[in-house]
Amino acid sequence: MKSTMQSPPLLISSLLRHGTTIHGDSEVVTWTAEGPRRLSYREVGQHAAQLAHALRSLGITGDQRVGTFMWNNAEHLTAYLAVPSMGAVLHALNIRLYPEQLVYVARHGGSEVVIVDNTLAAPFARLVEHLPAVRHVIVSGPVDDATREALASPPHVEAVHDYATLLADQPATFDWPEHLDENDASSMCYTSGTTGNPKGVAYSHRGNVLHSMGVAGTLGISSKDRLLIVVPLFHANAWGFPYCSMITGATLVMPDRFLQAEPLAAMIEAERVTGGAGVPTIWNDLLHHLDEHGADVSSCRMLMVGGSAAPPALIRAFADRYNIDIVHGWGMTEMSPVGSLALPPQGVEPGSEEYWRYKSSQGRLLYGVEGRLVGPDGSIVPSDGESVGELEVRGPWITDCYYANGTETATDLAEATAKFDDGWLRTGDVGRLSPNGYLTLTDRAKDVIKSGGEWISSVDLENAVMAHPDVLEASVVGVPDERWGERPLASVVLKPGTSTTVADLRAFLEGKVAHWQVPERWAVVEEVPKTSVGKFDKKQLRKRFAEGDLEVVTVD
């Protein structure tokens, strides 16, 4: 028996229509050097229609790729809505990648039109000559003549356009196509390769809609919320928040290029922000700024953290000092990206040790995400909260393969094949699953320290070190050891003016982790190197150690 229900496709255009009409009075607030710039969702809808018409005039008539090279701002949100809704595919380029990686990703994705923020036009001009598929460049904001000439100089670039001028005479309505297949690609992001090139993930309309509904519902986002989205729109779909806002009507506060703690604190105070999303380093910097300089953050109830594990000390500090709930999330670019959120179950007393254990976990798997643990021999490990294995996942917003255009190397193809196991995505994360669906990760498979035949979790060590009040950041990697095979090396950033020594830090760890896990090797650094998305760059730390660029102190 079939149901009697209608089955319209789940498309990004449905989010656009809903958000810009039903929630037309909500707004996107873009931070500038002069203060906030405001645009209602109704106006965003009009601009999206104008952008779609403009892109049609430039030859985007099917599912061609349209790239963005932009900060988080109203224009980027407009592209997030317009490009997929017209049937094209949005490719948000990660502005923080190394030039060689950027060129590879842009060429592999094949964008024909790229929208660029004016403050990023000069670095993009140095790339565009290597991107032969790019026919048009659209610049949002004024640029000098030299930069414009540089953008237009490659022979394959037909024209460089001013964003506002290009949109000015276009109609403010658009007949968004309804015949699109909900399983067609709506957008693309690339994940870092381990030994090969970055891998492309093509998100579907259906997956994006379901993912955003899952995230919005689990976090309890509503039209009353004002969300500060620090996670870049070029990073893993901005965790779904651009589309969550269309579903719920939550106002978006976009920081543009003002990503330091001082302006973020000012945004929270001035815009009465209720929630936000960013990586641990962002919120760690904000915490220290608030401790030193203060700000009125009483409006803020929740800050989601993802990208890497949040130290338990950070979670507790925000709760104890500012009554802000840090919600730990876990996911991957391949997962659209959110797979779990750390909200303790009913009946757990807030502030209890059990409560903090749940808060420090990676959280409960969202509806739609199935998880299982696999042992080194390929056998399924019980989800009993104690057994450890590599996490594999599957679901409607999890990729089933990587995007391929025929230019991949043998290494690329081998890596891509190795990531999938009979319909499951191998995450590369090692940890435990409880019977009630809570995930606790102990490490990345490639970052586990194998010492004397035993595993040491670099994440657990990092959390323990960062619990010391004089430590700003800490990252732990395994380094070669003649006796044990590998031993942990802890690189730490200390607060200015502190007299704490590495011997003090080593003593601090005694009793908090097993004695044999306490690092003998320490390096005090000015900053822990970070990847393009704000994670600790452990590859760089290993390289610096191997090349003798770290001043390592050994304490027995």
Side-chain angles (χ1 to χ4, degrees), residues 77-366:
L77 175 65
T78 300
Y80 246 73
L81 296 168
V83 174
S85 294
M86 66 184 291
V89 180
L90 179 80
H91 184 187
L93 297 168
N94 185 338
I95 65 176
R96 297 197 179 107
L97 290 177
Y98 294 117
E100 296 81 5
Q101 291 178 309
L102 256 173
V103 168
Y104 174 83
V105 165
R107 290 181 68 124
H108 193 264
S111 293
E112 298 183 20
V113 177
V114 182
I115 308 170
V116 182
D117 278 334
N118 64 326
T119 56
L120 298 170
F124 187 75
R126 294 191 287 271
L127 302 174
V128 70
E129 65 176 304
H130 305 291
L131 308 177
V134 175
R135 299 183 293 105
H136 294 274
V137 177
I138 304 171
V139 181
S140 176
V143 293
D144 58 74
D145 291 340
T147 300
R148 183 174 292 275
E149 289 176 8
L151 288 169
S153 62
H156 56 82
V157 176
E158 298 175 15
V160 176
H161 310 268
D162 175 75
Y163 181 92
T165 302
L166 185 65
L167 269 61
D169 296 328
Q170 302 292 347
T173 60
F174 190 87
D175 186 15
W176 304 110
E178 298 182 358
H179 64 276
L180 301 178
D181 186 333
E182 64 179 13
N183 292 303
D184 282 349
S186 63
S187 51
M188 300 180 72
C189 280
Y190 276 70
T191 184
S192 297
T194 51
T195 55
N197 289 307
K199 307 295 187 290
V201 178
Y203 303 119
S204 69
H205 288 261
R206 177 175 182 265
N208 263 328
V209 171
L210 292 175
H211 171 266
S212 299
M213 292 175 69
V215 172
T218 305
L219 289 177
I221 298 171
S222 76
S223 59
K224 297 178 182 179
D225 279 308
R226 300 176 65 82
L227 303 176
L228 174 61
I229 307 306
V230 188
V231 55
L233 271 71
F234 56 73
H235 172 47
N237 245 354
W239 303 351
F241 280 95
Y243 299 142
C244 289
S245 68
M246 293 293 110
I247 292 172
T248 63
T251 282
L252 291 180
V253 179
M254 298 290 208
D256 199 80
R257 64 187 187 278
F258 302 97
L259 304 174
Q260 299 76 29
E262 182 176 359
L264 292 178
M267 293 175 214
I268 295 174
E269 180 171 327
E271 295 300 321
R272 306 305 294 162
V273 164
T274 64
V279 297
T281 50
I282 288 288
W283 301 138
N284 191 48
D285 289 347
L286 176 64
L287 175 66
H288 292 298
H289 176 84
L290 294 175
D291 288 345
E292 292 181 15
H293 305 286
D296 181 2
V297 295
S298 59
S299 62
C300 190
R301 64 175 178 85
M302 174 274 295
L303 295 174
M304 181 181 164
V305 61
S308 58
L314 177 73
I315 298 172
R316 289 203 185 205
F318 267 106
D320 293 343
R321 302 207 280 270
Y322 300 102
N323 197 32
I324 294 176
D325 185 19
I326 296 290
V327 178
H328 210 186
W330 168 84
M332 301 172 64
T333 300
E334 293 93 330
M335 298 175 63
S336 298
V338 181
S340 64
L341 290 165
L343 300 169
Q346 288 185 336
V348 175
E349 183 67 26
S352 65
E353 286 306 309
E354 183 184 17
Y355 174 86
W356 292 118
R357 281 198 300 273
Y358 277 114
K359 292 294 294 178
S360 298
S361 74
Q362 276 60 50
R364 179 180 272 172
L365 297 178
L366 299 185

Side-chain angles (χ1 to χ4, degrees), residues 24 30 43 99 118 120 188 233 275 281 303 320 405 408-409 418 430 432 450 455 490 532:
T30 301
E43 292 171 312
N118 64 326
L120 298 170
M188 300 180 72
L233 271 71
T281 50
L303 295 174
D320 293 343
N405 64 10
E408 294 75 27
T409 66
V430 175
R432 303 182 296 273
K450 303 172 183 67
W455 282 4
S532 63

Side-chain angles (χ1 to χ4, degrees), residues 430 442-450 455-458 486:
V430 175
T442 54
D443 223 328
R444 292 287 291 168
K446 63 184 179 181
D447 291 331
V448 170
I449 301 165
K450 303 172 183 67
W455 282 4
I456 299 175
S457 167
S458 65
E486 277 190 330

